[in-house]
Amino acid sequence: MTTTDEFVEANKAYQQGFDGPLPLPPARKVAVVACMDARLDPAKILGIAEGDAHVIRNAGGVVTEDALRSLAISQRLLGTEEIVLVHHTDCGMVTFSDDEFRQGIEAETGIRPSWSAEAFPDAAADVVQGINRIKASPFVPKKDHVRGFVFDVATGAIDEVTTA
Amino acid sequence: MTTTDEFVEANKAYQQGFDGPLPLPPARKVAVVACMDARLDPAKILGIAEGDAHVIRNAGGVVTEDALRSLAISQRLLGTEEIVLVHHTDCGMVTFSDDEFRQGIEAETGIRPSWSAEAFPDAAADVVQGINRIKASPFVPKKDHVRGFVFDVATGAIDEVTTA
């Protein structure tokens, strides 16, 4: 039995007592961009219920071009107005460099990715980088409420990153 | 008080009773790629606990280049072996076309995105597209367990998409 099989079983319990459907646009008008890390559940750490918020996640919680695509769709088509970035302590993204990662893949497969792995040495600094990328994007219209945090995987706390 | 302020308040309750830190590599060796939709909480619908799984999310749950970056990092550096794709019914991505979206942004800002919005007319067909993209990627090494589902926002059920 694979983990995927276990997910299918778990879903049967979820269907019991399911009360839907909710409206499509996020009720609390916010989009979260967070790391894919297994220890970080954005709904739990921020108190998000079903229907409340868009949640965008990738390796690092990095504001990539694809995150900007998602944010553009979130704001332009579905009415969100705030953005919350969540990085975290003990992130895998600080354990390697872009060059190492791309060269490792090239050595193994013969093909070097054309993209950056988006590794970063410091989570808080990468939150600032993400805020700067959002502020610079012509495709994300609402920028009055863009804030970023580092989630502490040891304590459960989120610490706000202050920008200059 | 913004939604972000409410998130900061909610996090204080989360810290009470927090029991960490958990190990970095996902315990159940799986990465989920799901839509950012507000009604779809991957942890709840699949029975995922903190520490179990990587969760990657974007507009549509599309297997974009950035999702492949995240999957490459997930498998190559953090040991995941299964991939689960989750799209859903009543998705915003079926309500517009790529051309419309890009032209709308150009009309408003004078700048046309160089990226596709990744809109799709059919959720199940886009799950198949995602599986095909993963199978074709030289950067994702483990492809024996790649399955996809459509989450029904009216019933809470996940229906598996079968590939030919």
Side-chain angles (χ1 to χ4, degrees), chain B:
Chain B
M1 188 145 155
T2 62
T3 299
T4 310
D5 292 327
E6 293 167 0
F7 284 173
V8 171
E9 282 308 303
N11 177 254
K12 290 176 186 164
Y14 181 70
Q15 292 174 47
Q16 309 302 318
F18 183 83
D19 191 23
L22 292 163
L24 173 55
R28 294 170 74 187
K29 297 185 187 297
V30 61
V32 175
V33 180
C35 185
M36 70 178 179
D37 190 90
R39 299 160 299 177
L40 188 171
D41 183 333
K44 286 190 183 167
I45 71 176
L46 302 176
I48 299 172
E50 284 99 323
D52 277 353
H54 283 147
V55 181
I56 298 154
R57 300 180 66 179
N58 62 35
V62 175
V63 177
T64 54
E65 186 176 88
D66 195 52
L68 291 168
R69 174 186 71 86
S70 297
L71 289 169
I73 291 168
S74 176
Q75 290 198 351
R76 299 180 63 91
L77 301 183
L78 293 162
T80 64
E81 298 173 352
E82 295 179 45
I83 298 173
V84 174
L85 307 185
V86 186
H87 282 41
H88 63 94
T89 59
D90 190 36
C91 188
M93 301 298 282
V94 307
T95 64
F96 64 96
S97 74
D98 280 359
D99 282 353
E100 254 172 66
F101 187 75
R102 295 167 73 249
Q103 286 163 6
I105 291 185
E106 183 177 8
E108 194 175 307
T109 68
I111 302 171
R112 189 174 59 247
S114 59
W115 35 264
S116 162
E118 290 282 2
F120 47 78
D122 181 81
D126 200 70
V127 167
V128 175
Q129 176 65 214
I131 293 172
N132 290 346
R133 287 182 180 184
I134 290 167
K135 300 276 187 189
S137 172
F139 310 126
V140 178
K142 289 167 191 146
K143 310 183 192 211
D144 288 344
H145 300 285
V146 182
R147 291 164 63 183
F149 300 84
V150 176
F151 171 69
D152 187 328
V153 299
T155 67
I158 54 169
D159 298 309
E160 185 153 11
V161 177
T162 51
T163 51

Side-chain angles (χ1 to χ4, degrees), chain A residues 62-145:
Chain A
V62 175
V63 177
T64 55
E65 186 176 89
D66 195 51
L68 291 169
R69 174 186 70 86
S70 297
L71 289 170
I73 290 169
S74 177
Q75 290 198 352
R76 300 180 61 91
L77 302 182
L78 293 161
T80 64
E81 298 172 352
E82 295 179 46
I83 298 173
V84 174
L85 307 184
V86 186
H87 283 41
H88 63 94
T89 60
D90 190 36
C91 187
M93 301 298 282
V94 307
T95 64
F96 64 96
S97 74
D98 280 358
D99 282 353
E100 254 172 66
F101 187 76
R102 294 167 74 248
Q103 286 162 8
I105 291 185
E106 183 177 7
E108 195 175 308
T109 69
I111 302 173
R112 189 175 60 247
S114 59
W115 35 263
S116 162
E118 290 281 2
F120 48 78
D122 180 80
D126 200 69
V127 167
V128 174
Q129 176 64 215
I131 293 172
N132 290 345
R133 287 182 181 183
I134 290 166
K135 300 274 187 192
S137 172
F139 309 127
V140 179
K142 288 167 192 148
K143 309 182 193 210
D144 287 345
H145 300 285

Side-chain angles (χ1 to χ4, degrees), chain A residues 3-13 15, chain B residues 46 147 149 158 160:
Chain A
T3 299
T4 309
D5 293 327
E6 293 167 0
F7 284 172
V8 171
E9 282 308 304
N11 178 253
K12 290 176 187 163
Q15 292 174 46
Chain B
L46 302 176
R147 291 164 63 183
F149 300 84
I158 54 169
E160 185 153 11

